[in-house]
Amino acid sequence: MGTWGSGPFGNDAAADWCRGPDDAEPVARAGLVGAAPAHAADTPPGTYLDDGEHTVAAAALVAAQCPRGEPAKSAYGPRRPLPDLTAPRPLALEAVDRVLTAPSEPLGLWEGAPSWHGATDRLRAALAPGPVGERATLG
């Protein structure tokens, strides 16, 4: 995996994955973004998770639409508009937690990197349930 940054889109696998939502028809984009977290969340503990980079990228797109989320700014992220992605918010949080649980390729690569853990901590905070009445924004 080519990696140049600790952010959600800072590696070859995530950048390549982002082409999928861009290439898909608008009605299929939310399903593609939701499929990566679903796969990770369904990977049982103790089973090696080798495509967690897709999970982190997809979760970042979901988090970007959450009130505490950071914009998904990246030259390698999707360029086309995305629909409302906040429905899979709990699944995206569960999936990021799975990426952070061994055995996981991203965890193995970034385990000792504070910048990666900081990025995933911010991602988890954005995906966590918020106060009642909190409104998501599309963006």
Side-chain angles (χ1 to χ4, degrees):
M1 168 180 73
T3 302
W4 54 86
S6 59
F9 306 103
N11 60 75
D12 290 342
D16 290 345
W17 176 84
C18 286
R19 287 189 205 133
D22 274 345
D23 293 343
E25 293 296 322
V27 297
R29 291 183 186 140
L32 286 172
V33 172
H39 169 73
D42 290 343
T43 302
T47 303
Y48 186 73
L49 179 64
D50 65 353
D51 56 359
E53 298 87 356
H54 304 168
T55 300
V56 173
L61 296 177
V62 174
Q65 294 183 356
C66 296
R68 294 182 312 269
E70 297 175 6
K73 294 180 187 173
S74 171
Y76 303 100
R79 294 173 183 11
R80 293 184 179 203
L82 294 167
D84 182 356
L85 300 172
T86 56
R89 183 177 180 177
L91 180 63
L93 178 58
E94 181 182 345
V96 171
D97 286 343
R98 176 57 187 89
V99 168
L100 295 170
T101 304
S104 158
E105 181 180 26
L107 181 63
L109 293 170
W110 290 98
E111 194 164 17
S115 60
W116 185 75
H117 285 285
T120 56
D121 287 348
R122 289 189 305 278
L123 188 55
R124 291 187 74 258
L127 293 168
V132 175
E134 179 181 73
R135 299 182 137 210
T137 57
L138 297 181

